[in-house]
Amino acid sequence: MTAYEAELTHIEQRELFYTGKAKSLYRTNRPDVLWVDFRDDLTAGDGKKRGQEAGKGALNARIAAHLFDYLEGAGVRTHFLKYIEPSVHLVRAVQILPLEVVVRNIAAGSLIRRIGWEEGRPLSEPLVEWYYKRDDLGDPLLAEAHIALLSLADSTTLASLKEQALLINTLLQKKFSDAGLLLADFKLEFGRLASGTIVLADEISPDTCRLWDASSRVSYDKDRFRKDQGDVLGAYREVARRLGLV
Ligand code: TMP
């Protein structure tokens, strides 16, 4: 155990300071470390549809911890420090960028509503999209001109985010393909450390990915909740099982 890891065994949970739609953030006894509790809440349509699945938070925390460890091992810098069973991540404190980065490999979701393709049509190369992280506006799609207009990120930062997102996509596609799953699309969030370095943050889980069985194309992700397909928890557990986590 490194000295840094040893220090992480003495982290204490302190006051709640942010409640998101599926996670609660607490401060700790260290100003640079946050305590993230993955809750059982599920929302869709910017919170218009709400539900709960007992055990979902723990499954997402476990899956996301595994994926962050895997990405770190492949050289991707993330905010993740440590998983505490069943549903907590210790993470580096970051300033979250107000951009959601979506990577798509197969047409689904809002892409097919926007461009009229049929669900399941493969894209000839991965598509990276930017969305404005603003619930009050419904997280709209942004062109790079809008990002410049709003001064959300400069062109060098956007180029680096795109490069990181595409690398993460390649790594996750491999990881899920080994588990018999297709990664149709997913959403990433990035944050800035106090040093200014931008790292991957938030979570990667069945809440934030579209994962389809490689042969039947059945969904093992939050679309089961969005589309009322039932057995949401069973689907998340199956992802964890195929990743060798439960
Ligand atoms: P979309 O097709 O609805 O734009 O979603 C693309 C991907 O991003 C999909 O895997 C679900 C994920 N996503 C989130 O994690 N959070 C969100 O708020 C939205 C809109 C999508």
Side-chain angles (χ1 to χ4, degrees), residues 119-228:
E119 185 176 70
R121 180 161 162 183
L123 311 192
S124 54
E125 57 185 82
L127 176 67
V128 178
E129 298 175 327
W130 316 105
Y131 290 83
Y132 195 9
K133 196 171 150 58
R134 280 277 301 262
D135 279 341
D136 58 331
L137 300 178
D139 293 349
L141 178 73
L142 292 179
E144 294 195 4
H146 300 127
I147 298 176
L149 176 70
L150 290 163
S151 304
L152 298 182
D154 61 31
S155 58
T156 315
T157 305
L158 282 188
S160 153
L161 290 175
K162 184 169 178 178
E163 189 181 305
Q164 286 186 70
L166 289 171
L167 169 62
I168 293 165
N169 181 47
T170 302
L171 293 165
L172 291 180
Q173 277 189 301
K174 162 90 175 64
K175 164 67 78 180
F176 286 121
S177 141
D178 290 346
L181 292 165
L182 289 174
L183 178 61
D185 57 36
F186 60 98
K187 183 264 301 181
L188 299 174
E189 296 188 28
F190 291 86
R192 216 180 270 281
L193 296 170
S195 64
T197 304
I198 293 178
V199 299
L200 180 65
D202 193 51
E203 70 178 279
I204 304 173
S205 73
D207 269 9
T208 65
C209 299
R210 282 198 175 90
L211 295 166
W212 298 347
D213 179 80
S215 42
S216 70
R217 299 216 164 192
V218 163
S219 292
Y220 287 95
D221 57 57
K222 200 166 88 170
D223 268 351
R224 299 195 70 84
F225 171 73
R226 294 189 188 97
K227 299 179 179 176
D228 294 316

Side-chain angles (χ1 to χ4, degrees), residues 6-77:
E7 269 185 55
L8 289 176
T9 62
H10 296 108
I11 293 287
E12 293 162 22
Q13 182 181 11
R14 296 275 163 86
E15 76 277 9
L16 174 72
F17 81 100
Y18 181 79
T19 306
K21 291 198 282 283
K23 297 189 290 299
S24 299
L25 271 60
Y26 298 80
R27 296 198 196 282
T28 68
N29 50 321
R30 278 186 44 174
D32 57 337
V33 177
L34 299 180
W35 179 288
V36 183
D37 184 33
F38 286 66
R39 304 197 315 270
D40 291 335
D41 301 301
L42 282 153
T43 69
D46 293 319
K48 284 188 206 77
K49 177 172 174 155
R50 286 169 189 275
Q52 273 209 333
E53 287 284 342
K56 190 271 295 187
L59 283 168
N60 271 4
R62 183 175 288 272
I63 293 166
H66 176 75
L67 296 175
F68 279 138
D69 271 340
Y70 164 69
L71 292 173
E72 284 274 353
V76 175
R77 292 206 58 187

